[in-house]
Amino acid sequence: MATTTTTSPFVFLKCHTSPPCHTETLFTRTSYKAIKPQSQTDDVREEQVVVVGAGIADLATALSLHRLGVLSLVLEQAESLRTGGTSLTLFKNGWMVLDAIGAANDLRTQFLEIQGMVVKSVDGRELRAFNFKQEDQSQEVRAVERRVLLETLASQLPRDSVQYSSQLQRIEASPNGDTLLELVDGSKLLARIVIECDGIRSPIAKWMGFPEPKYVGLASYPDAQYFGPRVNYIYGRRSNNN
């Protein structure tokens, strides 16, 4: 029987009866072939590892596997990478991960390193200010544009690793312990390992009871921002004018 294990945004589907997934058994993707599982009459394509979704976590997972010699197939429901959004701030632990998967240097040259942080009250009083390097000499903080991060990760995967227009409709455990994936277009895949990372609107997330997302808005500085290369936190009660 298949079980689900949740870790942060990931849902891993695995079977207690399957043998351990050693790297040497996953060096090459299985050839596509037709199989006939019980209760299925359509052709089913076999894959060793399937990652559902092509967001940051998904592509980083696929690239990590690739660096270990493990091929995976990434399923993305959109017709291309969904590069909307702004940026995310990465601290040294994030850069250590990007270094490990070979993507950090391509990003460092494009984004300014943030020097420190300022914490203020809502009336403008400075509560605390510090330099990141003074707190930790090894600290590295940069705000990275989401589009550039996604494109960088995807560009380092083998060709055809990402399959677009592939929306997941149904997941079920097959009799032999693998996981059967059915897409909206009717195609089916049989995967030894499934990594679910396609967001809170995914069928799995809905089944798990995650709430619908709420947009909270973004700050806009049409005449350029004036804060300098430091993170600014402002604390205070929210008023009707804010």
Side-chain angles (χ1 to χ4, degrees):
M1 179 179 294
T3 62
T4 60
T5 303
T6 59
T7 306
S8 188
F10 300 98
V11 176
F12 297 91
L13 302 184
K14 54 189 178 182
C15 180
H16 296 304
T17 60
S18 299
C21 299
H22 299 298
T23 300
E24 61 269 18
T25 66
L26 298 174
F27 276 174
T28 59
R29 182 175 295 160
T30 55
S31 59
Y32 297 167
K33 61 181 181 180
I35 59 174
K36 303 290 184 181
Q38 295 179 5
S39 76
Q40 296 291 337
T41 58
D42 298 329
D43 288 350
V44 179
R45 196 174 82 195
E46 282 190 313
E47 292 287 346
Q48 293 280 11
V49 181
V50 173
V51 181
V52 182
I56 295 171
D58 320 70
L59 295 177
T61 299
L63 185 54
S64 299
L65 293 171
H66 171 57
R67 298 303 186 204
L68 294 172
V70 180
L71 290 180
S72 63
L73 177 67
V74 179
L75 301 180
E76 169 55 46
Q77 65 178 340
E79 296 180 356
S80 61
L81 288 177
R82 290 181 287 181
T83 57
T86 53
S87 64
L88 62 157
T89 303
L90 300 178
F91 285 71
K92 70 175 183 179
N93 56 339
W95 290 104
M96 290 172 65
V97 172
L98 292 171
D99 275 322
I101 62 178
N105 288 337
D106 289 343
L107 295 166
R108 284 191 175 100
T109 58
Q110 302 182 63
F111 300 101
L112 178 71
E113 184 170 3
I114 298 173
Q115 298 172 6
M117 180 180 293
V118 178
V119 180
K120 295 182 179 180
S121 65
V122 72
D123 60 5
R125 290 180 297 110
E126 186 174 296
L127 303 178
R128 188 186 178 197
F130 59 91
N131 184 285
F132 287 125
K133 296 293 187 184
Q134 292 176 348
E135 298 289 325
D136 180 354
Q137 188 60 39
S138 64
Q139 186 61 268
E140 180 179 5
V141 184
R142 300 174 193 268
V144 177
E145 187 181 349
R146 186 176 184 274
R147 174 187 62 82
V148 177
L149 177 55
L150 283 171
E151 292 175 350
T152 299
L153 294 172
S155 69
Q156 299 194 27
L157 287 170
R159 185 178 179 180
D160 298 327
S161 291
V162 183
Q163 178 177 305
Y164 297 103
S165 301
S166 301
Q167 183 177 357
L168 179 64
Q169 179 171 278
R170 186 171 61 91
I171 302 177
E172 69 176 42
S174 66
N176 68 347
D178 292 335
T179 303
L180 181 67
L181 307 175
E182 182 176 350
L183 306 183
V184 170
D185 64 4
S187 60
K188 298 179 179 68
L189 299 94
L190 191 66
R192 183 178 179 188
I193 298 173
V194 176
I195 304 175
E196 178 83 18
C197 309
D198 65 338
I200 56 176
R201 288 192 177 96
S202 73
I204 295 297
K206 184 177 181 179
W207 176 76
M208 294 177 66
F210 283 92
E212 289 295 315
K214 294 182 179 180
Y215 180 69
V216 296
L218 296 170
S220 176
Y221 299 95
D223 300 322
Q225 62 89 15
Y226 52 87
F227 292 108
R230 297 190 297 181
V231 175
N232 287 263
Y233 280 103
I234 300 175
Y235 287 91
R237 289 181 178 272
R238 178 180 178 180
S239 70
N240 293 332
N241 295 324
N242 290 340

PDB file of all heavy atoms in Angstrom, residues 6 31 38 46 48 51 66 113-114 128 133 135 151 174 181 189 194 200-201 211 213 217 226 228:
ATOM      1  N   THR A   6       4.659  14.055   4.185  1.00  0.00           N
ATOM      2  CA  THR A   6       4.733  15.463   3.860  1.00  0.00           C
ATOM      3  C   THR A   6       5.928  16.090   4.553  1.00  0.00           C
ATOM      4  O   THR A   6       6.179  15.874   5.732  1.00  0.00           O
ATOM      5  CB  THR A   6       3.451  16.199   4.299  1.00  0.00           C
ATOM      6  OG1 THR A   6       3.292  16.034   5.710  1.00  0.00           O
ATOM      7  CG2 THR A   6       2.237  15.637   3.593  1.00  0.00           C
ATOM      8  N   SER A  31      13.111   2.947 -20.734  1.00  0.00           N
ATOM      9  CA  SER A  31      12.565   3.177 -22.065  1.00  0.00           C
ATOM     10  C   SER A  31      11.049   3.154 -22.002  1.00  0.00           C
ATOM     11  O   SER A  31      10.451   2.475 -21.171  1.00  0.00           O
ATOM     12  CB  SER A  31      13.059   2.093 -23.026  1.00  0.00           C
ATOM     13  OG  SER A  31      12.665   0.814 -22.567  1.00  0.00           O
ATOM     14  N   GLN A  38      -3.579  -4.087 -14.173  1.00  0.00           N
ATOM     15  CA  GLN A  38      -4.938  -4.551 -13.971  1.00  0.00           C
ATOM     16  C   GLN A  38      -5.891  -3.358 -13.996  1.00  0.00           C
ATOM     17  O   GLN A  38      -5.598  -2.294 -13.482  1.00  0.00           O
ATOM     18  CB  GLN A  38      -5.057  -5.270 -12.621  1.00  0.00           C
ATOM     19  CG  GLN A  38      -4.240  -6.547 -12.565  1.00  0.00           C
ATOM     20  CD  GLN A  38      -4.365  -7.215 -11.226  1.00  0.00           C
ATOM     21  OE1 GLN A  38      -5.121  -6.773 -10.376  1.00  0.00           O
ATOM     22  NE2 GLN A  38      -3.642  -8.293 -11.046  1.00  0.00           N
ATOM     23  N   GLU A  46       6.399   4.171 -18.465  1.00  0.00           N
ATOM     24  CA  GLU A  46       7.128   3.952 -17.216  1.00  0.00           C
ATOM     25  C   GLU A  46       8.208   5.013 -17.013  1.00  0.00           C
ATOM     26  O   GLU A  46       8.929   5.370 -17.949  1.00  0.00           O
ATOM     27  CB  GLU A  46       7.789   2.568 -17.210  1.00  0.00           C
ATOM     28  CG  GLU A  46       6.831   1.431 -16.916  1.00  0.00           C
ATOM     29  CD  GLU A  46       7.592   0.132 -16.678  1.00  0.00           C
ATOM     30  OE1 GLU A  46       8.493  -0.171 -17.488  1.00  0.00           O
ATOM     31  OE2 GLU A  46       7.297  -0.555 -15.693  1.00  0.00           O
ATOM     32  N   GLN A  48      11.130   6.223 -13.748  1.00  0.00           N
ATOM     33  CA  GLN A  48      11.666   5.934 -12.420  1.00  0.00           C
ATOM     34  C   GLN A  48      11.257   7.009 -11.414  1.00  0.00           C
ATOM     35  O   GLN A  48      10.731   6.721 -10.348  1.00  0.00           O
ATOM     36  CB  GLN A  48      13.196   5.828 -12.481  1.00  0.00           C
ATOM     37  CG  GLN A  48      13.709   4.633 -13.265  1.00  0.00           C
ATOM     38  CD  GLN A  48      13.662   3.353 -12.454  1.00  0.00           C
ATOM     39  OE1 GLN A  48      13.062   3.315 -11.389  1.00  0.00           O
ATOM     40  NE2 GLN A  48      14.284   2.309 -12.964  1.00  0.00           N
ATOM     41  N   VAL A  51       8.595  14.246 -11.022  1.00  0.00           N
ATOM     42  CA  VAL A  51       8.406  15.427 -10.189  1.00  0.00           C
ATOM     43  C   VAL A  51       7.220  16.189 -10.754  1.00  0.00           C
ATOM     44  O   VAL A  51       7.229  16.585 -11.923  1.00  0.00           O
ATOM     45  CB  VAL A  51       9.656  16.321 -10.185  1.00  0.00           C
ATOM     46  CG1 VAL A  51       9.447  17.531  -9.280  1.00  0.00           C
ATOM     47  CG2 VAL A  51      10.889  15.527  -9.743  1.00  0.00           C
ATOM     48  N   HIS A  66      19.798  15.106 -10.887  1.00  0.00           N
ATOM     49  CA  HIS A  66      20.641  15.057 -12.085  1.00  0.00           C
ATOM     50  C   HIS A  66      22.118  15.083 -11.725  1.00  0.00           C
ATOM     51  O   HIS A  66      22.929  14.351 -12.315  1.00  0.00           O
ATOM     52  CB  HIS A  66      20.291  16.232 -12.992  1.00  0.00           C
ATOM     53  CG  HIS A  66      21.213  16.418 -14.149  1.00  0.00           C
ATOM     54  ND1 HIS A  66      21.462  15.426 -15.078  1.00  0.00           N
ATOM     55  CD2 HIS A  66      21.979  17.491 -14.520  1.00  0.00           C
ATOM     56  CE1 HIS A  66      22.323  15.869 -15.981  1.00  0.00           C
ATOM     57  NE2 HIS A  66      22.649  17.118 -15.656  1.00  0.00           N
ATOM     58  N   GLU A 113      24.621  41.938  -3.632  1.00  0.00           N
ATOM     59  CA  GLU A 113      24.655  41.377  -2.284  1.00  0.00           C
ATOM     60  C   GLU A 113      24.159  42.428  -1.291  1.00  0.00           C
ATOM     61  O   GLU A 113      24.644  43.561  -1.263  1.00  0.00           O
ATOM     62  CB  GLU A 113      26.067  40.922  -1.909  1.00  0.00           C
ATOM     63  CG  GLU A 113      26.119  40.243  -0.553  1.00  0.00           C
ATOM     64  CD  GLU A 113      27.454  39.585  -0.266  1.00  0.00           C
ATOM     65  OE1 GLU A 113      28.372  39.700  -1.101  1.00  0.00           O
ATOM     66  OE2 GLU A 113      27.582  38.952   0.805  1.00  0.00           O
ATOM     67  N   ILE A 114      23.196  42.037  -0.456  1.00  0.00           N
ATOM     68  CA  ILE A 114      22.611  42.946   0.529  1.00  0.00           C
ATOM     69  C   ILE A 114      23.542  43.012   1.740  1.00  0.00           C
ATOM     70  O   ILE A 114      23.979  41.996   2.263  1.00  0.00           O
ATOM     71  CB  ILE A 114      21.214  42.458   0.947  1.00  0.00           C
ATOM     72  CG1 ILE A 114      20.286  42.444  -0.282  1.00  0.00           C
ATOM     73  CG2 ILE A 114      20.620  43.366   2.025  1.00  0.00           C
ATOM     74  CD1 ILE A 114      18.933  41.830  -0.014  1.00  0.00           C
ATOM     75  N   ARG A 128      16.821  48.948  15.393  1.00  0.00           N
ATOM     76  CA  ARG A 128      18.077  48.202  15.313  1.00  0.00           C
ATOM     77  C   ARG A 128      18.590  48.241  13.885  1.00  0.00           C
ATOM     78  O   ARG A 128      17.802  48.246  12.939  1.00  0.00           O
ATOM     79  CB  ARG A 128      17.885  46.747  15.744  1.00  0.00           C
ATOM     80  CG  ARG A 128      19.199  45.975  15.858  1.00  0.00           C
ATOM     81  CD  ARG A 128      18.988  44.523  16.145  1.00  0.00           C
ATOM     82  NE  ARG A 128      20.270  43.817  16.209  1.00  0.00           N
ATOM     83  CZ  ARG A 128      20.420  42.507  16.120  1.00  0.00           C
ATOM     84  NH1 ARG A 128      19.367  41.737  15.951  1.00  0.00           N
ATOM     85  NH2 ARG A 128      21.610  41.950  16.192  1.00  0.00           N
ATOM     86  N   LYS A 133      27.686  40.844   7.554  1.00  0.00           N
ATOM     87  CA  LYS A 133      29.042  40.302   7.685  1.00  0.00           C
ATOM     88  C   LYS A 133      29.579  40.463   9.102  1.00  0.00           C
ATOM     89  O   LYS A 133      30.386  39.651   9.564  1.00  0.00           O
ATOM     90  CB  LYS A 133      29.979  40.999   6.694  1.00  0.00           C
ATOM     91  CG  LYS A 133      29.639  40.771   5.226  1.00  0.00           C
ATOM     92  CD  LYS A 133      29.859  39.330   4.806  1.00  0.00           C
ATOM     93  CE  LYS A 133      29.665  39.169   3.301  1.00  0.00           C
ATOM     94  NZ  LYS A 133      29.775  37.747   2.868  1.00  0.00           N
ATOM     95  N   GLU A 135      27.743  40.252  11.772  1.00  0.00           N
ATOM     96  CA  GLU A 135      27.083  39.214  12.547  1.00  0.00           C
ATOM     97  C   GLU A 135      27.642  37.833  12.221  1.00  0.00           C
ATOM     98  O   GLU A 135      27.788  36.973  13.083  1.00  0.00           O
ATOM     99  CB  GLU A 135      25.579  39.237  12.266  1.00  0.00           C
ATOM    100  CG  GLU A 135      24.880  40.523  12.662  1.00  0.00           C
ATOM    101  CD  GLU A 135      24.783  40.661  14.164  1.00  0.00           C
ATOM    102  OE1 GLU A 135      24.608  39.636  14.838  1.00  0.00           O
ATOM    103  OE2 GLU A 135      24.864  41.809  14.658  1.00  0.00           O
ATOM    104  N   GLU A 151      14.617  29.995 -14.657  1.00  0.00           N
ATOM    105  CA  GLU A 151      15.253  29.757 -15.949  1.00  0.00           C
ATOM    106  C   GLU A 151      16.652  29.188 -15.782  1.00  0.00           C
ATOM    107  O   GLU A 151      17.092  28.347 -16.583  1.00  0.00           O
ATOM    108  CB  GLU A 151      15.279  31.046 -16.755  1.00  0.00           C
ATOM    109  CG  GLU A 151      13.896  31.505 -17.196  1.00  0.00           C
ATOM    110  CD  GLU A 151      13.910  32.846 -17.899  1.00  0.00           C
ATOM    111  OE1 GLU A 151      14.972  33.519 -17.871  1.00  0.00           O
ATOM    112  OE2 GLU A 151      12.871  33.242 -18.474  1.00  0.00           O
ATOM    113  N   SER A 174      -0.508   1.435  -7.758  1.00  0.00           N
ATOM    114  CA  SER A 174      -0.728   0.266  -8.603  1.00  0.00           C
ATOM    115  C   SER A 174      -0.511  -0.999  -7.769  1.00  0.00           C
ATOM    116  O   SER A 174       0.079  -0.948  -6.682  1.00  0.00           O
ATOM    117  CB  SER A 174       0.229   0.283  -9.791  1.00  0.00           C
ATOM    118  OG  SER A 174       1.563   0.129  -9.349  1.00  0.00           O
ATOM    119  N   LEU A 181       0.010   7.710 -12.462  1.00  0.00           N
ATOM    120  CA  LEU A 181      -0.366   9.111 -12.636  1.00  0.00           C
ATOM    121  C   LEU A 181      -1.193   9.245 -13.906  1.00  0.00           C
ATOM    122  O   LEU A 181      -0.752   8.812 -14.978  1.00  0.00           O
ATOM    123  CB  LEU A 181       0.881   9.998 -12.748  1.00  0.00           C
ATOM    124  CG  LEU A 181       1.921   9.876 -11.640  1.00  0.00           C
ATOM    125  CD1 LEU A 181       3.127  10.732 -11.965  1.00  0.00           C
ATOM    126  CD2 LEU A 181       1.335  10.260 -10.299  1.00  0.00           C
ATOM    127  N   LEU A 189       1.219   7.604 -16.669  1.00  0.00           N
ATOM    128  CA  LEU A 189       2.595   7.251 -16.369  1.00  0.00           C
ATOM    129  C   LEU A 189       2.607   6.366 -15.133  1.00  0.00           C
ATOM    130  O   LEU A 189       1.821   6.571 -14.204  1.00  0.00           O
ATOM    131  CB  LEU A 189       3.459   8.490 -16.103  1.00  0.00           C
ATOM    132  CG  LEU A 189       3.619   9.511 -17.220  1.00  0.00           C
ATOM    133  CD1 LEU A 189       2.582  10.611 -17.050  1.00  0.00           C
ATOM    134  CD2 LEU A 189       5.020  10.112 -17.201  1.00  0.00           C
ATOM    135  N   VAL A 194       7.325   9.334  -6.898  1.00  0.00           N
ATOM    136  CA  VAL A 194       6.645  10.568  -7.269  1.00  0.00           C
ATOM    137  C   VAL A 194       6.952  11.632  -6.226  1.00  0.00           C
ATOM    138  O   VAL A 194       6.808  11.385  -5.026  1.00  0.00           O
ATOM    139  CB  VAL A 194       5.122  10.371  -7.374  1.00  0.00           C
ATOM    140  CG1 VAL A 194       4.425  11.712  -7.665  1.00  0.00           C
ATOM    141  CG2 VAL A 194       4.790   9.364  -8.455  1.00  0.00           C
ATOM    142  N   ILE A 200      -0.288  24.794  -3.704  1.00  0.00           N
ATOM    143  CA  ILE A 200      -1.446  24.570  -2.849  1.00  0.00           C
ATOM    144  C   ILE A 200      -2.722  24.357  -3.645  1.00  0.00           C
ATOM    145  O   ILE A 200      -3.743  23.969  -3.081  1.00  0.00           O
ATOM    146  CB  ILE A 200      -1.621  25.740  -1.861  1.00  0.00           C
ATOM    147  CG1 ILE A 200      -1.729  27.067  -2.612  1.00  0.00           C
ATOM    148  CG2 ILE A 200      -0.490  25.770  -0.860  1.00  0.00           C
ATOM    149  CD1 ILE A 200      -1.988  28.242  -1.707  1.00  0.00           C
ATOM    150  N   ARG A 201      -2.709  24.636  -4.945  1.00  0.00           N
ATOM    151  CA  ARG A 201      -3.891  24.363  -5.764  1.00  0.00           C
ATOM    152  C   ARG A 201      -3.842  22.975  -6.392  1.00  0.00           C
ATOM    153  O   ARG A 201      -4.690  22.629  -7.202  1.00  0.00           O
ATOM    154  CB  ARG A 201      -4.022  25.419  -6.867  1.00  0.00           C
ATOM    155  CG  ARG A 201      -4.453  26.795  -6.370  1.00  0.00           C
ATOM    156  CD  ARG A 201      -4.852  27.686  -7.530  1.00  0.00           C
ATOM    157  NE  ARG A 201      -5.339  28.978  -7.071  1.00  0.00           N
ATOM    158  CZ  ARG A 201      -4.597  30.066  -6.980  1.00  0.00           C
ATOM    159  NH1 ARG A 201      -3.324  30.000  -7.310  1.00  0.00           N
ATOM    160  NH2 ARG A 201      -5.102  31.207  -6.566  1.00  0.00           N
ATOM    161  N   PRO A 211      -5.640  25.649   2.810  1.00  0.00           N
ATOM    162  CA  PRO A 211      -6.595  26.712   2.468  1.00  0.00           C
ATOM    163  C   PRO A 211      -6.258  27.357   1.127  1.00  0.00           C
ATOM    164  O   PRO A 211      -5.139  27.233   0.621  1.00  0.00           O
ATOM    165  CB  PRO A 211      -6.420  27.715   3.619  1.00  0.00           C
ATOM    166  CG  PRO A 211      -4.992  27.531   4.054  1.00  0.00           C
ATOM    167  CD  PRO A 211      -4.726  26.049   3.908  1.00  0.00           C
ATOM    168  N   PRO A 213      -5.214  30.331  -1.372  1.00  0.00           N
ATOM    169  CA  PRO A 213      -4.264  31.436  -1.158  1.00  0.00           C
ATOM    170  C   PRO A 213      -4.961  32.788  -1.128  1.00  0.00           C
ATOM    171  O   PRO A 213      -6.020  32.970  -1.730  1.00  0.00           O
ATOM    172  CB  PRO A 213      -3.342  31.322  -2.381  1.00  0.00           C
ATOM    173  CG  PRO A 213      -4.197  30.708  -3.427  1.00  0.00           C
ATOM    174  CD  PRO A 213      -5.084  29.732  -2.709  1.00  0.00           C
ATOM    175  N   GLY A 217      -0.785  41.785  -1.633  1.00  0.00           N
ATOM    176  CA  GLY A 217      -0.323  43.011  -2.271  1.00  0.00           C
ATOM    177  C   GLY A 217       1.182  43.196  -2.181  1.00  0.00           C
ATOM    178  O   GLY A 217       1.872  42.520  -1.415  1.00  0.00           O
ATOM    179  N   TYR A 226      14.419  54.217  -1.935  1.00  0.00           N
ATOM    180  CA  TYR A 226      15.448  55.040  -1.308  1.00  0.00           C
ATOM    181  C   TYR A 226      16.083  54.378  -0.090  1.00  0.00           C
ATOM    182  O   TYR A 226      16.735  55.034   0.711  1.00  0.00           O
ATOM    183  CB  TYR A 226      14.844  56.377  -0.865  1.00  0.00           C
ATOM    184  CG  TYR A 226      13.598  56.243  -0.025  1.00  0.00           C
ATOM    185  CD1 TYR A 226      13.673  56.086   1.359  1.00  0.00           C
ATOM    186  CD2 TYR A 226      12.346  56.250  -0.622  1.00  0.00           C
ATOM    187  CE1 TYR A 226      12.539  55.945   2.123  1.00  0.00           C
ATOM    188  CE2 TYR A 226      11.187  56.112   0.143  1.00  0.00           C
ATOM    189  CZ  TYR A 226      11.286  55.967   1.505  1.00  0.00           C
ATOM    190  OH  TYR A 226      10.157  55.826   2.271  1.00  0.00           O
ATOM    191  N   GLY A 228      18.458  51.876   0.114  1.00  0.00           N
ATOM    192  CA  GLY A 228      19.819  51.383   0.057  1.00  0.00           C
ATOM    193  C   GLY A 228      19.862  49.872   0.105  1.00  0.00           C
ATOM    194  O   GLY A 228      18.819  49.213   0.275  1.00  0.00           O
TER     195      GLY A 228
END
